[in-house]
Structure formats: C-alpha cells, structure tokens
Amino acid sequence: MRIGVMVCHCGNNIAATVDCEAVAAAAREFPDVVFATDHMYACSDPGQGTIEKTIRELKLDGVVVASCSPRMHEVTFRRAVERAGLNRYMFEMANIREHVAWISLDRKRNTEKAIDLVRMAVEKLRYDRPLTAKSFEVQKRVLIIGAGVAGIQAALDCAEGGLDVVLVERKASIGGVMSKLDKTFPTIDCSVCVLGPKMVDVGQHPRITLHTLSEVEELSGYVGNFEVTIRKKTPYVDWVKCTGCGACLEKCPSRKVPDSHNEGISTTTAITIPFPQAIPKRAAIDPTVCLHFTKGTCGVCKKVCPADAIDYDLKDEVVTEKVGAVIAATGLDLFDHRKCGEYGGGRYPDVITSLQYERMLSASGPTNGHIQRPSDGAEPKTVVFISCVGSRDRSVDRPYCSNFCCMYTAKQAILTRDHIPDSRAYVFYMDIRATGKGYEEFVRRAQEEYEVQYIRGRVAQIYPLYPLAGPEGNQLVVRGADTLLGVQVEIKADLVVLAVGAESAHGAPALAEKLRISYDAYGFFLESHPKLRPVETNTVGVFLAGACQAPKDIPASVAQASAAAGKVLALLSKDKLESDPQIAQVQAMRCIGCGKCERTCPFGAIRMRELRDGAKRAEVVETVCQGCGICSVTCPVRAIQLAHFTDSQLLAEVNALCRTWTETTGS
Amino acid sequence: MPDMDRDYRIIGFLCNWCSYGGADAAGVARFNQPTELRIIRVPCSGRVDPMFVAKALLSGADGVLVSGCHPRDCHYTEGNLYARRRLELLRRFLPIIGVDEGRFEYVWVSASEGSRWRDMVTKFTEKIHQLGPMPRMAETARTLCALEGMLGVSSAQPDMWRPGEPGHDALLSMDEYKEVMDGE
Amino acid sequence: MASESSASALSANEPSVNDSAANESSTNASADRMETLRAKIAAELPNVDFVLAYGRGFDPLHATPVTVRGEKDLDRLIFDPTCVQNLATSLYGLRGKRLGVVVKGCDSRSIVQLLQERLWERENLVIFGLPCEGVLDLAKLRATLDIASARAASFTGSPRDGLLRLTFNDDGGHDGERTREIETKGLLADKCLRCQHPNPLVFDHMIGPETLPQGAQDDYADLAALEKLSTQERFDFWKRQMGRCIRCYACRNACPLCVCKHVCLADSREPHWLSAEATLQEKWLFQVMHALHLAGRCTECGECQRSCPMGIPILLLKRMMNRELKELFNYQAGVSLEAIPPLHTFLMEEDRIKDRGLLW
C-alpha cells in the first residue's frame, strides 16, 4: 500500500503549538507511508491541489490528513481524494487541532501526541477498503413539527417548492406566539395582520396536510424514508361538520376557564375556538373542564350545534405518515416569573408578563386594546417594565440572553405612551441589545420621541404601597438601583410588566429524543455546526427552524425557516439518495445464525435469511442500517462488522498506540 | 502526590456524535487539558467492544476512557444503553484480573459539553497518575507458589495438587498468604 | 460394570438415618434407575439418530461419553459420580440431527441456554434427566491416593454422605487384593458443593426421584479470597497462572456454549484479535475474551477448568462475571428458556448502575 500524509499548519492554529514538520518527518517512517509533507492550509485550494497532485503522481492508495476535526473537513478532503481518482473512504483524518493544538501549549508533548494520532490514522488506513454508496428512493414529503411563524413559513416554502407537507401543531390552531402579539418591532405592524394571511394560506394549500391538536409520538426510519406516528387528540367535535359558527361557545355554561390564548388574563368556555383568526377555525372541548366530562351533567353544546358536530364519544386518532425529511419548529415557552421572589413571585395581580400585556394591547384581546390593571380595571398612569426576567440570570439557571426582550420592551413602552398619552413608562435594563436592522433607531425613538425613562439597573424588590389598598389605589413600589447615577430609585407604579425570557418549549427534550437529535442543557435543539450548519442537526434529514434552536425574534425565525425549507427542497430534489456505505456487513462464512444481532439492532436492519439446508444467516438491509455498530459487539463471532470501523481497524489503532508505548518505555 | 511529570498511556473511545463533538468543543473553547489521552473515534459507544478495553489495558495502556451520548440522547437511540450494561459489567470484572477499577471509566458527554469533557479528561488523567503505571507483563513475577491450587482446585494434573495442602474448603488465610510472600 | 452391581448391592444394606435419606442416598447408583434409563432410551431409540450417554472409561474412576445407537449399546451405560462430563458440549456440533442426551442437573442448564439462544431445536432433542447429588473431583482423590492402580471402584449411598470403595492389587505379590473406603463428601467437585439445581431443569424423561439441592447458597468464597489480595498481587497471580497456558484451547473445546469454536476469534485473521505469538498478553486476553463471550451465558458447568491440562483456575473469571451479572441484573444463565439475556436488552433507567459521570 502507498500512503501519503499531509500535516496542516492551519495557519498558526496548529503550528503555534505543534511542530508540524517534525510530525511529517516522523510520518515518513511509518509503514506504507511513501510521502509526507506539511502545508500551511490543507483545506485551501492549493492544499487540496497538492493532495490531488500527489495522489496522481505517486500513485497513492490512501491519504491521511492531520488537521482539524473530521467533523469539520472530512467531507472536504474525501471529495479531494475522490477527484484524484481514489475511493473517498481511502482517507483518514488525524485531529491535531481541536484535540491537540488547542488544548495544550506544551509543544513537545503536543508534537508527540500529533505523531501518535497520525500513526493511528495510518494504521487504520492500512485496513481501509473502498466503499461504494447504494442509492435508494426518497419520499418527497416533509414533516414540519410546530406551526408557529417558523413552521408556517417552512411549510409554505416547501409546499411552494412542490413538496407535500405534513404540518403538526400541538395546539388547536396554528399561529404560535406570533398570533398572540399585538404589534411587531421595529415597524409597529399589526402582528396578526401580517401572520393571518399566511395562516390562511396554510389552511388552504393543497399540498399541506394540517394536523392540529396533534403530537409526534414516534419517528422511525432514516433520511428519505422516515415514518412518523402522530397522535391526533380528539376535540370531541367532528371537524368535518363543524363550521366554526361559535353557537356552542355562546351557550356553554362553563365560563370560568382561564383563556390560554390570552395568557390567563381572561376566561373562556370549555368548548372554544382559540381566537377569531384561528386556523382551522373549529371548536374544541377541553375535557378537563367540560361539565359533561367532569360531572357528566351537561350536553348543551351538543343540543345547540346546528351542524350536529359535537360527539362526546370521539377518540384520539393515531395516524402514520411517510416523509423524506423533518423540520423541527417547536418554538419557545416563556420563563415562569413566579420563581423570582423579588418581583412578588406571582402574588401581585398588577405584576404581569410581557405577553399578558401584549394581549391587553391587542385590539382583538380581552380588553379590546385598552390597558387595564388586572386588580381594579383602572387605566394605569405609571407603567414600569423590568427586562431580563429569567434571562442572563444564573441564579435561576438561565444564563443566556433571550435575544428579543429588549426590543419588545421598547415596543411595549412606546405603545403604552401611544395608548395613554399622559402615562409615564420606565424601563429597568441591564444592557440594551438592539442589534437588528433598525432596532437601535427604534430604541432611540422610545427614549427620545416617546420619552420612555430607561434606568440602567436591577430591581431589588416590588411591594405594595398600601398593603390594604388605600385611597391611592393598588399602587406598587418598584425599588431598584440606577447604576449610572449610583443611586437607589423607587417608583410608584400602577402596573409592572416583566420582560420574561425565553425557554425551550415544554417537552422539547422528549421530542429531541424521538427525533434522535441533541439538545443543550436548556432544552434547545443542537445544530450540526454553530457557524456553518446552523439549520442541520446531527441526524441527517432532520432540520431546525426558529426558536427551538435558540431564542429568536420573528425575522430570524422566518429566515431560518426558509433556510430549512431550502435545505429540505435541495435534499428531496433528487429522486434517489445515496446511503452511507459505512454500515454493517456480514461475513456469511463466519455467521452462525444465532440471531443475536437481529435482536439488538435498534433499526430492524438485520434479517435472518434461511439457506437451502435450513441454516440461517444474518443479512443487513443496507438502506435501513444506520451504522451504529451495536450488532458487531453483540455478535459472538464478530461475523458482522461495521465497514470503516471494523474490529481490525479499531484494533490497529489500539495496537498502534500500545506498540509505540511499549517501544518508547523500553519494556 | 501523583507524579504529573511522567506521561501515561491513556486511550479514549469517543462516539462521533456527542463526545467527539464535546472534545472538539473543548478544543474550540481552548480549554487547557492534559495531553496524554489519545482519542479513537467510533460511531457510537455501542460500538465499543469491551474487548477493545481489555486489549488496550493488557497491551500496555494505563487507562481507558469511553465516552458516549447521555442516556436518551443517543444518535442511534439505544447504543449507549447497551454500552452502559456491557461497560459496567466490564468495569466490575476488571479488578479480578488485577486491573484497578479506576483504570477504566465510561462517561456521558454531549457535543455541547466542552467544559464537562475538559473536566472528565482532567480528572481521569489525574486518577491514572494516582494509580501509576499499569503493571507490566514483561516484569519478572513475584512467585506465588502458595496461591497455586489455593483457588479453584485443579482437577486434571496430579502435580498441580500437592498432598496435604488445603483445597477449596480451607483457603489460605491472609496472614498465611503474607507469610509465604514475605518468606520469598 | 462390577462397580455398579456391587454398589447397588451395598446400598441395599446401607443403614439409613431416615427413610427419605435412604431414598435420596440411592439415587445415583440405583440399579432400578439404570434399568429405567435403559428402558426409556430403548423406547426412544427409534425416534432419534442416537443417544449421548455415559459409559465406563479407561479405568474404574473415569467415565466416557458413549453413543447409543441400538439395543446392544445399552449394556455399556453407566451413571455414577464418575460421570463428570457435560454431554451438552457435544450437542452444537451435531446440530441438524435428532438426538437423545443424558444430562445431570447442571448439564441441563447448558441445554436450557442452548435452547434459549436458539442454538438447538427443542423438537430435535430427547432429554433423559438424571437427578444428581454430586460428581467426583479426581484431583481431590489424587491428593491422598495413587489412584492409577485402582482396579475397581464402587459407591455406597449418596455422594453427599456415602463411601467410595476402591480395590487395588495387593502389592505383596500375592494374588490377593486390598480395598480402601473413602468418604465421598470430601471428594465432590466444588461446583457440586454449591449446586442449586441437582434436578434437570429441562427433560423429556426424568429418571429416578428428584433430590433436594445442596443446602448452602454459593458464597463466592473463592472470589472473596482473591479479592482480599491487592490489585498488584492479583495481577501477579494471573500473570503466573496465564504464563502456564499452552494455548491448547481445551477450555474452549470443552465449553458447551462455545458454539462458534469452528470460527473462533482466537484463530481468526479477520478480525485479527489475537496473534499466534505465545505471549502472556495473547494468552491472558483469550481468557478474558472467553469470559466476556460467556457473560450472561455461562452456567458454571466447570468443564473449561476441568479440562485445562495446566490447572489454570479459569472458572474464576466466569464466576466473577456471573456474580456481577446476578448483582447488576439479577440474572442467572441457563435456568429459564424465556429469559432475555441481560446484555441483549437494557432499561432506560438502570436500577443498579450509577451514572458514571457524577461519581468523581
């Protein structure tokens, strides 16, 4: 075998703490290595050119590049060796940047380690075999989980691109958080006026199948051929018959149900249509509060329904759909401020969340757009906004910035001054993060044009001015620090609005597990690469859109949704996909047909084939195998081997290390 | 005090999806770490054959660290759950053949946990330094005549069984054993 | 054959403490039982290719496996405490045939395991189960006697509390003979002393009355003794033990569950786990591999250790594995046909495995 080795300096990234020339020189002594050199940037055009040229000129059978993580550039270099006529799997990488140069400044030890890693790569390469991908048919359909603005945008883009879309939404209507907003920053557009038409498009698009009140139960399969199981919770209303007329809502006797669309600041009925623009505009019964289900007494809605759509006996439905790709767009939830005792821990009715305030501002909200204090319905004259509630706060395990609170706080302060011209608005802030297009100008307008008082400092305590509600009404005292002036401030507020931060949607980790994607400590889904693959996940065929990946505002969510749709469209534009050939292979001669591999394969990728004499042999279904290698360890004979990660290859790496140590330690 | 100047031989088997990414993340964050660990990339901790670990330890490695995705977080759904059973069993088995249980460890590190990876590497390396080098095969063994036949009565060879020596029912006491050892 | 007839004759005269003890004590050597076994085998012969059973070996203290193919072979059958072999070992190589096999309680666990792993078809097996109260460990006998010159041996009573009568040629040059009686209790194999399954767990024909298990649970005293040593001392212990290994693979060949010995990893070049070098590493690693392969499968029949010509206590490794499997997964191999082997399944939350990342 003829092996070439290239050691990359990565500019100074590697060369600063690793003697790359010495690594290349050491590599020349390794078995089968006929060429070794170092290069400033192996991944650059000239670097790849050198690799290709050397392969051709020296008739190499395999190449080792010692550079960055294979998670970064393995694909790049595989393409390069392929261009030079080699099989793309006759290539190995030694990670001497992330695993060597960047974790230690000890040049001598780093160089020794880099030499070891190259030795391991060479030894593994000596057992590499050319592998060829198989192609398979794909389902030209996409599953989108979550129908907030990101899911809606992704669905429309995919559908317009010619894909069939299965859109799953947990709530009764699509729309997500954006459908609850009054206006959007920095343009003060009416939120639902912008979103509404898109929602209608989703409802009417012939390529979009909408499943609301539905959740993904299980996802199996692999890119191009996923199979998803969806549980459709019953609304106890036949949605084919229901016209959304609302007659049932008017007559429903159970009227004290907190309205979740209005963030609990108003009540609704047990059978309800979430909001006027809901898609689908259909009534649904909440069985946890409906008198028919809780007491068995009522049946009014069934009597009054003109379409005879109410059916208390309906059951949840489980549907399965076949799709080729998945976009997760499950959005966010908001921080529960009751964890913060300094803001009253939820005890004061006039301390509300920003989203509750948003509902109050909305013309279609419970107060028809009038700002009213929850305690007495009076119009507040002094409104205090507190930012970073559950953001950038280690004490409540929310160290991250929620990205959009600064902006919506400015917007709400402006709207306050708009709605109540004689009011005063104060904002307690830590820093103002206004990095988007037109954002800084918007905050300036709030401060200068609308005279919103920005106070840089944290609020230490909120307490009632008159604990027993005196003549001054129910005012609250907001006590905090103005760190710019270096003084304590106290503001008598009629209403306090907490700019609560973003959290991952509840149940996000469980969904991630179903999708086999990673999530961070806070439940946000993990992208494949923070810079270069922000839409992909580590599971091929599963993409991310919107705030499920990290807190995002509307334009960023929409942009990522379109990006995800673009990725899906590109992926499914091919009629056939190539399967990764790094999969399990059975040595039929060694297989004893015990079937243990079949039992442990998580994907059902192994079948037992019966030979003519009745003996059994394991057989791998190539498109189903995902290449985990569980079977290989299960097999008593190790007759099933994972291509490119065979026992012999991993043993070669182990041996390469143990041998050098034995040599260098002289025993 | 563990000897931190000497380099030890530590092999890591890291799953491609979580822990290898976590080790990358530690590098990207420039977290300073001991250099002794050499990482072998595998697709999944479920690919890690306990025999690789045994092979490494019996071939001269001073420590072996396996790291995979957290339970429930496996890229292949179940690989780390099989691995957990296999590796736990191995971990409990190793002491009987004279390999300190501290020389082998398996942990879970996700792709986002660069600092956790740094901690794991640092602690594991320290542990190996505390334990010192793995005993070498090539060194001259202290003769352990007294132990022969003491454990598991040899049934096949007459010369393995010396008349009058205790069998299974009467194992050597520790004092007796030490006596024999010291007298050597 | 002489030993058997004399044994049964003696057992009839054996004074007994109580009735049940008398019944039990006669199980291993009872003439009735042999007659039943012969009759049952004779009845099944038309249904099977042949029956694996025990016959007398090269001397009165050794048994040997025999194949019974016809009525004429029935006379060769024996069953007494010299029948140490696990006949299940021969089964896998004979897969595809329809066989009868004679098993003791411990041997039946190997069969349970083979069936559970779908390595044999139950319908192709006729099992003659023999309750057993113990077999001899000849090494223990050799410790006190030169047994090579024994001309005849007979057993009296149950091996648990009976006697072994050995007849030697008289050394005085006369035509006479010399006899010696030894209590069998001290001669039993270690595995019999901790036996919990004296009665076959799977059988078509149970030959003779069932017996009670040995009283004591396995306390793993042998492992505990080894564990009292320091790590270094344990390492040295095995270094010395493994150093004797001649890589004959008798241990593997005697193992009833080493079903892949024809494609054994120890001999394979691809994958290449072991080299042919006779280094300590290779010898040692093979034993660790054997133990790992048998994890969740080994029934501790002890054939590996019994067959080792170098007297290496390799069963200890498997017992260590079994002790931990029992503790971790409450699992014992070869006792249930339906059990799922612990390494072929998992729990999302393992009750007895702590999260390793938090331990240090």
Side-chain angles (χ1 to χ4, degrees), chain A residues 69 109 513 638 647 667, chain B residues 5 24 47 49 72 136:
Chain A
S69 170
R109 282 186 164 127
E513 284 155 18
R638 307 304 192 260
D647 282 4
S667 47
Chain B
D5 287 336
D24 281 356
R47 174 68 189 92
D49 198 322
R72 294 177 187 275
R136 308 314 304 272

Side-chain angles (χ1 to χ4, degrees), chain C residues 147-208:
Chain C
I147 56 172
S149 60
R151 217 180 61 197
S154 62
F155 292 92
T156 320
S158 159
R160 290 176 186 169
D161 53 12
L163 291 174
L164 162 64
R165 172 178 293 177
L166 286 172
T167 310
F168 299 89
N169 285 330
D170 192 342
D171 296 335
H174 306 289
D175 200 19
E177 39 180 47
R178 184 167 60 81
T179 61
R180 181 146 177 201
E181 288 192 339
I182 308 153
E183 284 189 15
T184 45
K185 192 177 177 184
L187 303 175
L188 289 183
D190 286 348
K191 68 169 177 178
C192 303
L193 300 177
R194 51 185 178 242
C195 176
Q196 296 300 313
H197 298 284
N199 304 309
L201 294 165
V202 56
F203 56 87
D204 295 290
H205 303 287
M206 183 72 99
I207 318 290

Side-chain angles (χ1 to χ4, degrees), chain B residues 37-79:
Chain B
L37 180 85
R38 310 283 192 261
I39 292 172
I40 294 176
R41 184 165 69 126
V42 289
C44 176
S45 52
R47 174 68 189 92
V48 180
D49 198 322
M51 294 197 314
F52 289 137
V53 181
K55 169 94 180 172
L57 288 169
L58 289 177
S59 305
D62 297 313
V64 177
L65 180 64
V66 175
S67 186
C69 308
H70 288 275
R72 294 177 187 275
D73 202 11
C74 175
H75 181 71
Y76 305 102
T77 330
E78 300 171 353

Side-chain angles (χ1 to χ4, degrees), chain A residues 278-438:
Chain A
I279 300 286
K281 194 172 180 184
R282 296 285 183 269
I285 295 174
D286 179 352
T288 61
V289 288
C290 169
L291 293 174
H292 176 84
F293 288 98
T294 54
K295 299 222 171 72
T297 53
C298 183
V300 172
C301 49
K302 192 175 172 62
K303 284 197 198 96
V304 301
C305 178
D308 191 25
I310 314 286
D311 183 351
Y312 301 124
D313 297 326
L314 284 176
K315 294 276 178 291
D316 287 4
E317 206 183 324
V318 176
V319 295
T320 57
E321 300 267 11
K322 286 188 187 294
V323 295
V326 179
I327 297 175
T330 48
L332 52 79
D333 271 338
L334 293 175
F335 178 74
D336 183 355
H337 67 90
R338 283 174 298 185
K339 289 176 198 158
C340 298
E342 65 269 36
Y343 307 133
R347 279 174 294 138
Y348 308 132
D350 295 337
V351 177
I352 63 173
T353 70
S354 46
L355 199 51
Q356 288 172 329
Y357 195 59
E358 200 76 44
R359 291 311 299 150
M360 219 180 262
L361 292 168
S362 170
S364 59
T367 58
N368 299 320
H370 298 298
I371 303 172
Q372 294 171 356
R373 297 204 311 187
S375 60
D376 55 7
E379 190 177 72
K381 297 296 177 197
T382 307
V383 181
V384 173
F385 296 88
I386 302 174
S387 58
C388 295
V389 177
S391 299
R392 304 177 66 193
D393 187 351
R394 282 167 201 242
S395 68
V396 290
D397 193 30
R398 293 289 175 266
Y400 55 85
C401 170
S402 291
N403 180 298
F404 43 66
C405 318
C406 288
M407 294 310 301
Y408 76 60
T409 300
K411 174 194 74 182
Q412 291 181 344
I414 287 175
L415 292 175
T416 307
R417 298 272 293 130
D418 232 14
H419 279 60
I420 313 168
D422 61 342
S423 66
R424 287 150 72 92
Y426 297 88
V427 176
F428 281 92
Y429 71 101
M430 287 164 70
D431 297 289
I432 298 170
R433 299 192 163 172
T435 54
K437 187 174 176 180

Side-chain angles (χ1 to χ4, degrees), chain A residues 5-45:
Chain A
V5 176
M6 179 180 277
V7 184
C8 177
H9 290 227
C10 195
N12 224 5
N13 277 308
I14 294 170
T17 58
V18 175
D19 184 346
C20 297
E21 285 163 34
V23 175
R28 280 182 209 113
E29 306 302 316
F30 296 160
D32 291 346
V33 172
V34 294
F35 175 82
T37 187
D38 54 311
H39 200 282
M40 185 55 86
Y41 285 108
C43 61
S44 68
D45 233 22

Side-chain angles (χ1 to χ4, degrees), chain A residues 13 69-71 74 95 98-99 102-106 109-110 112-113 116-117 120 513 516-521 526 538-540 599-603 626-634 638 641-642 645-647 650-651 653-655 657-658 661-662 665 667, chain B residues 4-11 13 16-18 20-21 23-24 26-28 30-44 46-52 55-56 59-61 71-79 82 86 110-112 136 138:
Chain A
N13 277 308
S69 170
R71 286 163 58 101
E74 191 171 53
N95 183 349
E98 283 85 345
H99 291 186
W102 281 353
I103 63 162
S104 160
L105 299 174
D106 186 332
R109 282 186 164 127
N110 282 358
E112 280 168 13
K113 181 173 179 179
D116 272 353
L117 296 188
M120 287 160 69
E513 284 155 18
R516 301 196 299 273
I517 60 177
S518 305
Y519 53 93
D520 68 15
L526 213 59
N538 275 339
T539 297
V540 182
R599 174 145 51 185
T600 51
C601 176
F603 307 101
Q626 299 293 293
C628 62
I630 293 171
C631 53
S632 197
V633 188
T634 312
R638 307 304 192 260
Q641 288 285 332
L642 182 59
F645 291 96
T646 62
D647 282 4
L650 298 177
L651 284 168
E653 291 188 80
V654 171
N655 288 337
L657 285 173
C658 293
W661 288 332
T662 318
T665 51
S667 47
Chain B
M4 292 310 282
D5 287 336
R6 191 200 145 134
D7 275 5
Y8 284 86
R9 300 149 296 183
I10 307 173
I11 299 184
F13 290 93
N16 179 50
W17 304 100
C18 293
Y20 198 92
D24 281 356
V28 171
R30 309 296 199 278
F31 288 141
N32 209 37
Q33 296 160 51
T35 55
E36 285 119 297
L37 180 85
R38 310 283 192 261
I39 292 172
I40 294 176
R41 184 165 69 126
V42 289
C44 176
R47 174 68 189 92
V48 180
D49 198 322
M51 294 197 314
F52 289 137
K55 169 94 180 172
S59 305
R72 294 177 187 275
D73 202 11
C74 175
H75 181 71
Y76 305 102
T77 330
E78 300 171 353
Y82 286 110
R86 294 166 179 163
S110 83
S112 63
R136 308 314 304 272

